[in-house]
Amino acid sequence: DGTETTAAHGQKIHYHRIGTNQSQDQLVYENIEEPEWMFGVSCSQDGRYLFLEVQKGCERTNMLYCAQLGEDKSIPQEKISWKAIVDEFKWQYSPIWNVGNICYLQTDENASNQKVIKVDLDQKSFPRDKPLGIDHISEHEDNVLSDVAVCDMKYFITNYMVDCKDKVRVFDIESGNFSHDIEFPDMGSIGWSCRKYMSDIYFKLTGWVNPGAVYKYNIHNEKMETIHQTIVSGFDASKYKTNQVFYPSKDGTKIPMFIISKKDIEMNSDNPTVLYAYGGFNIPITPYFSAYKTVWSGDLNGVLAIANIRGGGEYGKKWYDGGKLMNKMNCFDDFNAGAEYLIDNKYTSSKKLAIEGGSNGGTLVAACFNQRPELYRAVLCHVPVIDMYRFHKYTIGHAWKSDYGDPEEKIEDFEYNKQYSPLHNVKLQDDKSVPGMMILTADHDDRVVPHHSLKFAAEVQKVHGKTSENPLLLRVDIKAGHGGGKPTAMVIEEQVDKYGFLALMMGLEL
């Protein structure tokens, strides 16, 4: 019912034929020898091939298999015969498109920023000691290829991340040659809806202060028209500005950070500020709009800063690798350096600076609460992973070994996690103040089980409860999970509590 904590094992894939009973569903794939592996199946756009992707945890690598379907393009009722295209966990491969037996794959094989290759599916075997296929769209030197789609049966529509912002480029499918860029009137995150047989593409662009605009673009005449601009009642985007800065981390690495505020902000070291980051699992944080965040920047005259620290996917595999496993401490250094930048440049001071993060980002802010308490006034710690010795024992936690290592089997991982595990590093520090903290979790969170938060709250209370001058709070939602899918009323209640806590800590009037 969502309150289980036992490890999730033994995934299977079944095929359901419409009109039949679920008990008749056909087993397509399982691997009883590897209970922690996860699988996904997709069909080629022409219905000729079935692809099986096998993944080990959250590692951005996968094995890839294919099966040729019959003339009627149906799933065979007998056992499916899978042919291995890639049978080792080394790179990531995702099928995009095929023309007959020639399949185009998006991959990071020898390409940290991703590229497109083409492979002949009819060959009897696939090489392991040399590149899988032929480069079709080469890796970009600086920008990460994040998505590929097909339009008008002739063009690859590609999305590249350029300094944490999306850029759409068009390539010819047959030759792989660059055709043109698609320009937009604003910067931000770009999603699309397009069909392989249509020449029109619908784009949606959102930004930190742009609730979303929908555009219609024709691939032939290259004309763009605005279909819809979302309007949020009471919000005037013209009153706000977004800056992107690049600041040095502890080791000198330049870290990008977005800073959103009103245009008339005074650089007086007295602006209430929230610093947010995620920094894990190759997940990039690109611009998005939140009506709740306009309360902070608008009604409370606050500054919102989003740091694109290492561990995310903003600059490809190298950026991700720089913030995981034995490099995890870089995440905390990057984040704390972002706080120092905001203070040094007079956006705010430690008395007006809060930090916020959720899930892996909750680990981040909890660790920074322990490591640099003097930097911060308040901490919002959402559904955090806290016990870095035992995280793998509960629900899907074993999948996170990709980023946190295997502290049970590898002594070096245990010793490294020992340095930052939030649960095991809550200590009294006589010369440093303790910021106020609100830990937020939910009783039905089956992603990051709530006892991470409960144990952390107990330890913080035990160590700091008698001496802290600031509130140390635990907030538990009932009949809710990891964050997604909450009813609007519950979301509003959480936002009210969150901003009420920040106002209390910073002396703001609501």
Side-chain angles (χ1 to χ4, degrees):
D1 68 353
T3 60
E4 301 89 348
T5 60
T6 52
H9 288 149
Q11 183 179 352
K12 300 178 182 180
I13 294 179
H14 288 82
Y15 178 65
H16 176 75
R17 291 177 173 82
I18 295 175
T20 64
N21 191 284
Q22 185 178 351
S23 62
Q24 299 175 275
D25 287 359
Q26 176 183 343
L27 179 65
V28 172
Y29 189 80
E30 68 173 332
N31 189 329
I32 58 176
E33 296 180 356
E34 298 291 348
E36 293 185 356
W37 287 7
M38 297 179 287
F39 322 111
V41 168
S42 61
C43 190
S44 63
Q45 91 289 338
D46 63 358
R48 290 183 58 190
Y49 296 94
L50 202 62
F51 295 105
L52 169 68
E53 296 180 48
V54 180
Q55 189 172 351
K56 183 168 62 175
C58 291
E59 294 180 13
R60 297 302 171 129
T61 61
N62 66 279
M63 297 192 290
L64 182 64
Y65 299 81
C66 73
Q68 189 160 1
L69 301 180
E71 290 297 324
D72 62 355
K73 301 179 181 179
S74 65
I75 304 294
Q77 298 196 22
E78 65 274 8
K79 184 177 180 180
I80 295 174
S81 177
W82 295 104
K83 179 167 68 174
I85 301 174
V86 179
D87 62 358
E88 60 180 340
F89 294 110
K90 189 174 182 180
W91 310 104
Q92 187 175 28
Y93 301 89
S94 300
I96 305 167
W97 178 254
N98 70 296
V99 178
N101 55 295
I102 301 300
C103 182
Y104 297 89
L105 304 172
Q106 182 178 341
T107 181
D108 62 358
E109 179 187 277
N110 298 311
S112 175
N113 289 339
Q114 304 261 336
K115 62 183 178 181
V116 176
I117 63 173
K118 60 180 180 180
V119 176
D120 184 354
L121 296 179
D122 282 353
Q123 59 187 305
K124 293 183 178 179
S125 62
F126 296 85
R128 294 188 63 174
D129 56 348
K130 60 181 180 180
L132 176 64
I134 301 170
D135 284 9
H136 195 63
I137 299 178
S138 299
E139 176 191 18
H140 194 281
E141 183 178 358
D142 301 311
N143 308 149
V144 180
L145 176 63
S146 59
D147 199 7
V148 185
V150 170
C151 176
D152 200 39
M153 307 291 284
K154 299 177 183 177
Y155 302 99
F156 281 134
I157 311 301
T158 66
N159 196 338
Y160 283 85
M161 272 187 292
V162 182
D163 286 332
C164 316
K165 304 175 291 290
D166 287 344
K167 178 77 174 179
V168 179
R169 295 169 175 150
V170 180
F171 292 82
D172 179 76
I173 288 181
E174 185 175 357
S175 66
N177 293 334
F178 171 74
S179 174
H180 61 278
D181 290 329
I182 299 179
E183 301 294 344
F184 293 85
D186 194 7
M187 72 87 183
S189 300
I190 301 171
W192 60 55
S193 175
C194 67
R195 298 290 183 268
K196 60 187 180 183
Y197 47 81
M198 295 180 66
S199 59
D200 289 331
I201 312 169
Y202 291 87
F203 292 100
K204 183 175 183 180
L205 185 147
T206 55
W208 299 118
V209 295
N210 181 354
V214 178
Y215 303 94
K216 180 181 178 181
Y217 179 83
N218 186 274
I219 196 71
H220 295 312
N221 59 31
E222 299 182 25
K223 288 186 177 180
M224 178 90 73
E225 61 177 303
T226 303
I227 300 298
H228 176 74
Q229 173 66 58
T230 301
I231 304 296
V232 175
S233 178
F235 175 72
D236 182 358
S238 66
K239 294 181 179 180
Y240 299 86
K241 63 179 179 180
T242 300
N243 295 328
Q244 188 180 35
V245 300
F246 294 82
Y247 64 86
S249 187
K250 183 178 180 179
D251 63 0
T253 301
K254 292 291 186 180
I255 309 298
M257 178 165 62
F258 291 102
I259 304 175
I260 302 96
S261 68
K262 284 186 175 178
K263 288 181 177 178
D264 59 359
I265 182 178
E266 294 182 23
M267 308 298 281
N268 58 8
S269 299
D270 197 42
N271 297 293
T273 301
V274 173
L275 172 61
Y276 174 89
Y278 184 76
F281 298 93
N282 202 32
I283 297 173
I285 304 298
T286 58
Y288 65 93
F289 183 83
S290 168
Y292 301 110
K293 288 180 170 53
T294 66
V295 175
W296 178 252
S297 300
D299 298 343
L300 297 177
N301 295 307
V303 174
L304 177 63
I306 296 93
N308 297 102
I309 63 176
R310 282 173 284 185
E314 288 85 351
Y315 293 98
K317 189 175 186 298
K318 292 179 181 178
W319 195 254
Y320 170 43
D321 290 345
K324 71 172 188 176
L325 300 175
M326 296 298 182
N327 293 318
K328 190 64 182 175
M329 295 291 282
N330 286 337
C331 299
F332 317 130
D333 292 339
D334 292 355
F335 194 65
N336 289 327
E340 291 171 335
Y341 175 91
L342 294 168
I343 293 170
D344 292 345
N345 287 272
K346 298 185 176 181
Y347 282 95
T348 191
S349 67
S350 59
K351 294 180 180 179
K352 288 288 183 74
L353 178 57
I355 54 176
E356 183 175 12
S359 199
N360 174 77
T363 311
L364 170 72
V365 298
C368 292
F369 169 85
N370 290 333
Q371 293 176 7
R372 297 292 304 276
E374 80 285 357
L375 269 181
Y376 307 111
R377 179 63 176 164
V379 179
L380 290 166
C381 185
H382 300 260
V383 292
V385 183
I386 293 296
D387 186 346
M388 308 313 295
Y389 296 173
R390 303 175 184 85
F391 66 88
H392 57 288
K393 292 180 177 292
Y394 312 111
T395 62
I396 197 61
H398 59 78
W400 311 334
K401 294 176 185 177
S402 60
D403 280 48
Y404 306 142
D406 190 345
E408 185 172 17
E409 298 294 332
K410 298 180 180 178
I411 186 63
E412 62 271 24
D413 290 348
F414 177 85
E415 291 297 331
Y416 190 85
N417 289 9
K418 189 176 177 181
Q419 299 177 72
Y420 74 87
S421 177
L423 181 63
H424 305 94
N425 285 278
V426 182
K427 299 174 183 177
L428 274 178
Q429 303 182 50
D430 296 336
D431 59 337
K432 296 179 181 179
S433 61
V434 178
M437 173 180 278
M438 178 183 284
I439 305 168
L440 302 94
T441 187
D443 64 343
H444 282 67
D445 188 344
D446 58 1
R447 176 79 60 86
V448 180
V449 294
H451 67 235
H452 279 283
S453 295
L454 303 181
K455 289 196 290 185
F456 189 44
E459 187 67 12
V460 169
Q461 178 66 24
K462 173 186 173 183
V463 175
H464 298 299
K466 293 182 179 180
T467 59
S468 176
E469 297 178 355
N470 297 317
L472 304 170
L473 307 176
L474 172 67
R475 185 185 189 279
V476 183
D477 268 330
I478 305 301
K479 295 183 179 180
H482 198 57
K486 291 182 184 178
T488 302
M490 188 176 287
V491 174
I492 292 173
E493 288 175 0
E494 179 180 312
Q495 297 297 321
V496 169
D497 288 349
K498 183 177 83 171
Y499 289 123
F501 170 69
L502 293 179
L504 173 68
M505 293 306 303
M506 299 182 187
L508 308 179
E509 292 185 8
L510 292 176

